[in-house]
């Protein structure tokens, strides 16, 4: 591995024009493809195997042309103070609005509030429901403008009008904080390298990699049914790992220059050593992201695969374009430590005979030396601290966001609040019960009995009469719960209806299915919970085997996995504290607290595990390299920190800055992911990898690097430490000395 990458680094350095041309051509091609591709529609949200999805599929078969998955809009009207919606003037305004809305070419139907009895008991609030043929993201701008204009005309007449539903669904924006995150990354790189040129290389290559990845996703979005969140996730992770991978290679290149290597040789050795760590770190991230497919939620699978592709591009760019750009930069990228000479802190040549003062140990060396002296105290402090941070995770409540989680400044949220005020909190999450009585002798009786059975359940406010299809063998029943959609009470009602449906099936051979957005959210949450343990076993197991090959040890990968569990639980605790409990919610821009997004735990497990292994590989391979070359275990820990702590710290700060930039997103899911990943990187990099890892290695001593002999013989030798590369280049140095002699 190291020898191959060494040759690749030197080749990229020599053939830099060709390498740069390839990547620029790929970026141009991806950009042209994205610009010429058809606009992507709304990503379909199908959940194979769930009851809610089966009901949707049945509706498509038995009620053709009803556009069960089409966009909907609820236009909510509120009368001025002291008036009612039944007053003649207000009623005329609403009916004019309904007529105006019905003229749209993509409109299937519009319900009249007065005919559908959609007026609140006190008469102050009413709503009209608009159903469309296509999804919200596929609606023409003209249809959306017509919806907004109709609402505005009603407002001019004196009514309060808000619009809920997904017809006005918009692509989320991240705001200026994303740019601030990149700016912070740039500042950290300048401080780390002390050079604008050296700092600019990781940023440039990361932006090129993300540009290729996101452009490819945009170009394929329509063909592969990719949602807007897919490209956001790819951008988030691609930027973070792209900067980090390039940072490690540039840092190693400067270290090789400081040892007196020629620039081409230094580039080769940097790619051969740090590049090997980049490859395996990238593999762990890719495994974690691709592993999301085991959940069997198409949207999540596509997000994971797209982000994994962007990570793979970041690895390839770091291995090829970084050495090519280093060739272009030439002497503008200085050897490590040369900044000090420039400011006069090194001895002049004529004073070389004087005894040199011992160099002052850097912060990483001093910290590692402290940990090695007090390993047990540091270990206990780190574990107890992360355990305390994880305590809120014990009260974790999961759900999927609805309009109730939107900011109060949006019309969606205001419509949600008006409907709750006029019709009760459960009105925003109606349940659709589908009764398939095709195999029953008397379908009409089955429909009536099903409605009566549901009325007898707790927390049921309204049960509408069954609406059969033309064949008369299938009917829909709408159930309005008494509690809000995201509540545990509503979840219990869904299970109660399904339990009653099992009894009905036993008596009449009719199938009762519960669907609708609320039931779908409940099914998704349960599916994600059920998949968490298998996913964790798969991803951690595969990465554990990979790390055994990298470190040639059993205990080091085991310690890495356990440390990851600590950091991810602490991060989940922080997410619960902010987004569910409301701690620091104002600072984070969280206007509405509530259940944590149901895919957050499994998503954090996947992404955070991959990123955590980045730091494990980068930091511990340096320790392994020192140990293999003859240092004692404790000294190898200090050596690893001396060479790697500064760069790992910079990488973690950069990754935190990039992720934190997405906290400014208007999309609650993106905001939560950005915060969760940023705090997880903080816990993992600075508590687990910087404190717990060296403490455990110091306590284990030589046992940390133990591997059974039979397993040592069976495993492939990937040579991440570059031992073969060291032998090769040292032999080359001896040959050159003989030639000079």
């Amino acid at each position: 591995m190291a020898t191959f990458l060494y040759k690749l680094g030197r080749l990229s350095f020599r053939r830099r024009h060709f390498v740069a041309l390839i990547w620029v051509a790929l970026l141009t091609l991806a950009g042209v493809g994205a610009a010429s591709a058809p606009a992507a529609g709304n990503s379909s949200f199908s959940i194979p195997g769930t009851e809610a999805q089966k009901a949707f599929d049945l509706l498509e078969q038995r009620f053709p042309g009803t556009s069960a998955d089409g966009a909907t809009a609820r236009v909510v009207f509120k009368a001025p103070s002291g008036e009612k919606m039944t007053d003649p003037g207000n009623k005329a305004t609403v009916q004019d609005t309904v007529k105006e809305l019905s003229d749209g070419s993509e409109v299937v139907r519009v319900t009249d509030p007065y005919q559908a009895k959609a007026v609140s008991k006190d008469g102050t609030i009413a709503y009209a429901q608009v159903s469309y043929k296509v999804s919200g993201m596929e609606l023409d701008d003209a249809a959306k403008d017509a919806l907004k204009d109709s609402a505005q005309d009603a407002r001019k007449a004196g009514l309060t009008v808000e619009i809920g539903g997904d017809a006005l669904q918009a692509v989320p924006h991240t705001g200026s904080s994303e740019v601030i995150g990149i700016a912070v990354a740039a500042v950290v790189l300048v401080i780390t390298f002390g050079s604008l040129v050296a700092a600019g290389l990781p940023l440039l290559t990361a932006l090129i990699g993300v540009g290729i990845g996101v452009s490819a996703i945009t170009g394929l979005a329509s063909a592969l049914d990719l949602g807007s969140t897919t490209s956001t996730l790819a951008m988030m992770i691609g930027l973070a790992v792209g900067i980090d991978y390039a940072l490690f290679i540039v840092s190693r290149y400067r270290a090789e220059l400081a040892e007196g290597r020629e620039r081409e040789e230094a580039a080769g050795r940097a790619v051969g050593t740090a590049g090997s760590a980049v490859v395996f770190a990238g593999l762990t991230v890719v495994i974690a992201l691709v592993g999301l497919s085991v959940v069997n939620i198409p949207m999540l699978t596509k997000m994971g695969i797209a982000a994994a592709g962007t990570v793979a591009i970041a690895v390839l760019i770091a291995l090829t374009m970084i050495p090519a750009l280093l060739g272009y930069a030439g002497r503008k990228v200085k050897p490590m430590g040369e900044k000090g000479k420039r400011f006069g802190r090194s001895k002049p040549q004529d004073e070389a005979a004087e005894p040199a003062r011992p160099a002052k140990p850097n912060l990483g060396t001093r910290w590692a030396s402290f940990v090695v002296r007090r390993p047990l105290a540091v270990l206990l402090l780190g574990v107890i601290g992360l355990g305390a941070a994880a305590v809120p995770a014990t009260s974790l409540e999961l759900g999927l966001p609805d309009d109730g989680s939107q900011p109060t400044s949006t019309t969606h949220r205001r419509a949600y609040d008006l409907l709750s005020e006029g019709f009760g909190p459960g009105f925003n999450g109606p349940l659709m019960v589908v009764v398939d009585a095709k195999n029953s002798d008397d379908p009409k009786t089955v429909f009536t009995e099903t409605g009566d059975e549901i009325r007898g359940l707790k927390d049921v406010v309204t049960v509408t009469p069954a609406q059969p299809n033309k064949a008369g063998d299938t009917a829909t029943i709408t159930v309005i719960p008494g509690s809000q959609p995201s509540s545990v009470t509503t979840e219990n009602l869904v299970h109660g209806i399904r339990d009653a449906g099992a009894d009905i099936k036993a008596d009449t051979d009719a199938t009762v299915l519960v669907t609708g957005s609320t039931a779908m959210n409940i099914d998704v949450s349960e599916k994600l919970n059920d998949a968490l343990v298998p996913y964790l076993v798969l991803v951690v197991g595969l990465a554990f085997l990979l790390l055994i090959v990298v470190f040639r040890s059993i205990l080091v990968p085991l310690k890495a996995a356990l440390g990851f569990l600590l950091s991810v639980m602490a991060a989940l605790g922080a997410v619960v504290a902010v987004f569910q409990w409301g701690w620091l919610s104002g600072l984070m821009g969280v206007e509405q607290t509530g259940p944590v997004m149901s895919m957050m735990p499994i998503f954090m497990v996947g992404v955070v595990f991959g990123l955590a292994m980045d730091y494990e590989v980068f930091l511990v391979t340096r320790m392994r390299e020192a140990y293999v070359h003859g240092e004692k275990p404790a000294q190898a820990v200090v050596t690893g920190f001396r060479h790697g702590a500064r760069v790992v710290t910079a990488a973690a700060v950069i990754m935190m800055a990039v992720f934190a930039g997405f906290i400014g997103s208007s999309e609650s899911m993106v905001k939560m992911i950005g915060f969760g990943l940023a705090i997880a990187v903080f816990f993992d990099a600075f508590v687990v990898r910087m404190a717990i890892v060296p403490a455990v290695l110091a306590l284990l001593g030589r046992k940390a690097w133990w591997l059974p002999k039979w397993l040592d013989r069976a495993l492939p030798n990937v040579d991440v430490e570059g031992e073969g590369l060291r032998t090769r280049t040292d032999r080359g140095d001896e040959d050159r000395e003989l030639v000079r002699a």
Side-chain angles (χ1 to χ4, degrees):
M1 171 69 78
T3 303
F4 169 76
L5 293 178
Y6 165 78
K7 293 178 180 178
L8 179 64
R10 294 194 63 167
L11 178 65
S12 300
F13 188 94
R14 287 197 308 272
R15 306 292 185 186
R16 47 187 171 272
H17 304 307
F18 180 68
V19 172
L21 181 63
I22 288 177
W23 284 112
V24 171
L26 287 175
L27 179 61
T28 304
L29 183 64
V32 171
S36 59
N42 189 29
S43 178
S44 59
F45 191 72
S46 62
I47 313 295
T50 62
E51 180 172 315
Q53 187 63 49
K54 291 176 183 177
F56 270 126
D57 296 339
L58 184 64
L59 287 172
E60 290 289 338
Q61 296 173 10
R62 305 288 175 84
F63 293 83
T66 57
S67 301
D69 59 348
T72 59
R74 277 182 170 178
V75 183
V76 188
F77 306 90
K78 184 175 183 180
S81 179
E83 299 181 17
K84 292 188 176 183
M85 292 304 305
T86 52
D87 293 345
N90 294 334
K91 186 174 182 179
T93 300
V94 172
Q95 289 176 331
D96 289 343
T97 303
V98 169
K99 184 178 179 181
E100 187 177 346
L101 289 170
S102 302
D103 294 337
S105 60
E106 294 181 323
V107 175
V108 176
R109 61 184 174 275
V110 181
T111 61
D112 186 316
Y114 304 100
Q115 295 179 4
K117 298 181 180 179
V119 181
S120 62
K121 290 182 179 179
D122 62 3
T124 60
I125 297 174
Y127 73 92
Q129 181 150 319
V130 187
S131 300
Y132 293 90
K133 298 176 183 177
V134 296
S135 64
M137 295 298 286
E138 294 172 318
L139 271 181
D140 289 339
D141 290 339
K144 294 182 179 181
D145 291 340
L147 180 60
K148 295 176 184 177
D149 292 342
S150 298
Q152 187 59 35
D153 291 341
R155 290 190 188 105
K156 291 178 181 178
L159 298 178
T160 298
V161 185
E162 303 296 345
I163 303 173
D166 59 354
L168 296 182
Q169 185 176 1
V171 176
H173 60 85
T174 54
S176 60
S177 54
E178 178 188 347
V179 179
I180 295 174
I182 297 176
V184 172
V187 172
V188 172
L189 287 170
V190 171
I191 294 173
T192 302
F193 291 135
S195 164
L196 288 174
V197 174
L201 296 183
L203 279 177
L204 176 61
T205 54
L207 291 173
I208 291 174
V210 167
I212 294 173
V214 172
S215 296
I217 291 171
T218 303
L220 298 172
S222 178
L224 300 182
D225 192 26
L226 304 177
S228 59
T229 310
T230 304
S231 58
T232 304
L233 175 65
M235 182 189 303
M236 184 188 301
I237 295 179
L239 271 176
V241 300
I243 294 173
D244 279 6
Y245 294 165
L247 167 65
F248 281 102
I249 291 179
V250 173
S251 178
R252 188 60 183 255
Y253 171 77
R254 296 178 69 233
E256 296 295 336
L257 289 179
E259 293 182 7
R261 307 284 180 187
E262 295 294 331
R263 293 189 176 273
E264 182 179 329
E265 177 69 15
R269 288 179 64 87
V271 176
T273 51
S276 297
V278 165
V279 169
F280 283 100
L283 275 176
T284 60
V285 180
V286 168
I287 287 173
L289 291 171
V290 174
L292 290 170
S293 58
V294 304
V295 183
N296 196 25
I297 294 180
M299 183 189 74
L300 198 59
T301 299
K302 293 170 185 177
M303 288 172 63
I305 293 176
T310 308
V311 172
I313 293 172
V315 171
L316 292 174
I317 283 186
L319 297 178
T320 56
M321 195 168 185
I322 281 293
L325 293 179
L326 289 172
Y328 283 118
R331 297 186 179 278
K332 293 179 181 178
V333 177
K334 304 295 182 182
M336 189 172 291
E338 191 159 312
K339 180 183 176 183
K341 296 179 183 180
R342 193 181 301 168
F343 287 95
R345 289 196 291 269
S346 63
K347 291 289 183 182
Q349 190 69 28
D350 57 359
E351 297 180 12
E354 294 184 9
R357 294 181 180 179
K360 182 181 179 181
N362 61 21
L363 182 59
T365 302
R366 297 197 300 273
W367 169 250
S369 299
F370 170 77
V371 174
V372 168
R373 290 196 305 271
R374 301 284 188 274
L376 187 59
V378 172
L379 175 61
L380 290 176
L381 186 62
V383 171
I384 292 173
L386 290 178
V391 168
T394 58
S395 62
L396 176 67
E397 295 178 8
L398 298 176
L400 286 177
D402 55 18
D403 286 346
S405 63
Q406 295 288 327
T408 53
S409 58
T410 63
T411 187
H412 297 79
R413 172 61 186 279
R414 291 196 291 263
Y416 181 97
D417 291 341
L418 284 176
L419 288 172
S420 296
E421 177 188 341
F423 302 93
F427 198 80
N428 285 290
L431 305 175
M432 180 180 288
V433 178
V434 183
V435 185
D436 179 7
K438 190 173 185 179
N439 298 325
S440 300
D441 297 332
D442 188 0
K444 290 185 178 180
T445 302
V446 172
F447 300 153
T448 302
E449 290 179 353
T450 302
D452 293 340
E453 187 74 22
I454 294 173
R455 286 187 185 92
L457 298 176
K458 293 181 179 179
D459 200 49
V460 173
V461 174
T462 305
V463 178
T464 64
Q467 301 293 323
N469 62 349
K470 290 183 179 180
D473 58 5
T474 307
T476 60
I477 300 173
T478 301
V479 180
I480 306 298
S483 304
Q484 62 184 11
S486 59
S487 68
V488 176
T489 307
T490 301
E491 182 178 348
N492 292 336
L493 175 59
V494 170
H495 290 303
I497 297 174
R498 288 172 175 171
D499 292 340
D503 296 334
I504 293 172
K505 183 174 179 61
D507 296 337
T508 65
D509 207 25
T511 302
V512 178
L513 303 173
V514 185
T515 188
S517 59
T518 300
M520 181 69 81
N521 289 351
I522 292 170
D523 287 350
V524 170
S525 298
E526 292 179 352
K527 191 177 182 70
L528 288 166
N529 287 339
D530 293 341
L532 182 58
V533 173
Y535 173 70
L536 191 62
V537 171
L538 173 68
V539 172
V540 176
L542 288 176
F544 180 77
L545 296 176
L546 181 66
L547 292 178
I548 288 178
V549 174
V550 173
F551 295 126
R552 308 195 76 79
S553 165
I554 298 293
L555 296 179
V556 170
L558 180 61
K559 171 263 308 168
L562 294 177
F564 150 74
L565 291 176
L566 278 173
S567 58
V568 78
M569 288 303 298
L572 274 176
V575 169
V576 170
V578 173
F579 291 89
Q580 187 176 311
W581 291 0
W583 294 4
L584 302 178
S585 57
L587 181 63
M588 298 296 168
V590 180
E591 295 190 18
Q592 180 67 34
T593 59
V596 172
M597 183 181 61
S598 55
M599 67 176 64
M600 194 68 185
I602 198 165
F603 184 81
M604 283 188 66
V605 165
V607 178
V608 174
F609 181 79
L611 300 179
M613 294 307 103
D614 277 3
Y615 302 117
E616 181 75 15
V617 170
F618 288 132
L619 193 60
V620 180
T621 48
R622 271 292 199 171
M623 300 177 189
R624 168 77 181 170
E625 184 177 343
Y627 177 75
V628 167
H629 294 152
E631 293 188 8
K632 294 181 179 180
Q635 184 57 41
V637 171
V638 177
T639 300
F641 266 78
R642 181 171 69 249
H643 292 294
R646 178 183 176 88
V647 181
V648 168
T649 300
V653 172
I654 289 169
M655 197 171 279
M656 288 167 56
V658 172
F659 288 149
F662 289 84
I663 296 175
S665 173
S666 62
E667 179 71 28
S668 59
M669 182 171 72
V670 175
K671 180 190 293 288
M672 191 178 295
I673 289 174
F675 172 79
L677 294 183
I679 198 69
V681 168
F682 172 78
F683 286 144
D684 196 85
F686 294 106
V687 181
V688 175
R689 308 304 154 189
M690 292 288 188
I692 294 178
V693 166
V696 171
L697 291 178
L699 289 170
L700 291 175
R702 294 185 183 276
K703 295 177 183 177
W705 309 107
W706 170 80
L707 186 69
K709 292 183 179 180
W710 64 268
L711 185 57
D712 189 32
R713 291 191 297 269
L715 291 176
N717 184 13
V718 295
D719 190 22
V720 177
E721 302 83 18
E723 183 63 25
L725 179 60
R726 176 183 290 261
T727 303
R728 174 190 179 94
T729 54
D730 287 349
R731 187 184 303 120
D733 291 341
E734 292 175 3
D735 292 343
R736 283 190 291 272
E737 289 296 331
L738 289 174
V739 170
R740 292 193 189 98

